[in-house]
Amino acid sequence: MPANAPTATTSVLTARALLLDMDGTLVNSDAVVERCWRRWAIEHGLDPEEALKVVHGRQGYLTMAVLLPDRPMEQNLADNRVMLAQETADLDGVVPITGAPAFMAAIAALPHALVTSADEALATARLTASGLPIPSTRVTAEHVSASKPDPEGFLKAAAELGVDPADCLALEDSDAGITAAFAAGMRVLGVGPRAAALSPTAHTEDLTDVTVTSLPDGTIRIHVGG
């Protein structure tokens, strides 16, 4: 092995429930996100590359507030409704994260929930386009008063599953999402390249190296790595 080759790591985590982000974690929607947000940034005289640094993980209105801090929130909310409609209609390039179909099949009978900044329509469209099941327990944009990085969504999902936040493992890819999960008192499995530099509890490039086992006492064992 070359001296500068990355070292493979293995992690074993346990939990009683899995809380799953969608975009970047289960679904690769980067192509759509970049198309829509580049267009919006240019329309508002912003540098698209700078805008793309802050869009992941948050609800759109909060991203707009970060990028245009002096603009009335009513305008951000109105633009967000338009953005959601555009993203829901544009499914070109939306595909599952590598390993996501097998992972979702493996956890089908285990306590899990979707916790996403997308609204119900967008989440349904992207999961369906990716051929992934839609979790019966889900916290979408309509269900929270505050977007990630606020922990509200994760705390609400844990409560709906009846599991203590400390016993939940969140799967996330973004700064906002990982911050939200840690603020909720959860451990985090970071998924993908964005998560690698954000100090999650454990990290995986995709879901192919994640093995889930249900133990007799109801504990979920998550093995990450080769």
Side-chain angles (χ1 to χ4, degrees):
M1 178 182 294
N4 61 350
T7 301
T9 59
T10 299
S11 301
V12 178
L13 305 168
T14 58
R16 291 196 170 269
L18 303 175
L19 304 186
L20 316 172
D21 174 54
M22 181 180 68
D23 294 302
T25 302
L26 300 176
V27 172
N28 183 344
S29 57
D30 283 359
V32 178
V33 171
E34 291 190 8
R35 279 196 296 274
C36 290
W37 280 98
R38 282 182 188 279
R39 182 168 58 242
W40 183 89
I42 291 169
E43 288 172 356
H44 291 83
L46 300 172
D47 180 347
E49 298 306 320
E50 291 302 310
L52 289 175
K53 292 179 181 178
V54 297
V55 303
H56 296 289
R58 297 177 173 84
Q59 290 189 40
Y61 75 87
L62 185 56
T63 295
M64 294 169 188
V66 170
L67 294 170
L68 296 173
D70 298 324
R71 195 167 80 143
M73 186 58 73
E74 291 77 10
Q75 286 184 257
N76 295 334
L77 291 169
D79 273 14
N80 188 48
R81 288 190 289 270
V82 174
M83 178 74 75
L84 284 170
Q86 291 174 342
E87 289 188 292
T88 302
D90 185 355
L91 298 174
D92 186 22
V94 174
V95 295
I97 292 292
T98 305
F103 173 80
M104 292 300 285
I107 69 168
L110 303 178
H112 68 281
L114 184 72
V115 184
T116 177
S117 293
D119 65 4
E120 184 82 16
L122 181 56
T124 299
R126 285 185 175 165
L127 289 169
T128 301
S130 300
L132 297 176
I134 300 170
S136 57
T137 301
R138 50 192 180 274
V139 178
T140 58
E142 300 95 330
H143 301 137
V144 296
S145 60
S147 170
K148 299 173 186 177
D150 191 281
E152 181 185 356
F154 283 113
L155 292 172
K156 189 163 189 174
E160 290 191 19
L161 292 172
V163 178
D164 189 288
D167 291 328
C168 295
L169 177 68
L171 277 69
E172 269 285 0
D173 75 302
S174 70
D175 189 3
I178 291 174
T179 298
F182 278 144
M186 301 173 182
R187 288 152 299 135
V188 181
L189 173 57
V191 180
R194 278 190 294 268
L198 300 173
S199 301
T201 311
H203 177 262
T204 183
E205 284 302 316
D206 54 41
L207 295 173
T208 55
D209 285 338
V210 179
T211 304
V212 179
T213 307
S214 178
L215 303 180
D217 67 353
T219 299
I220 303 169
R221 181 178 183 272
I222 305 95
H223 183 278
V224 184

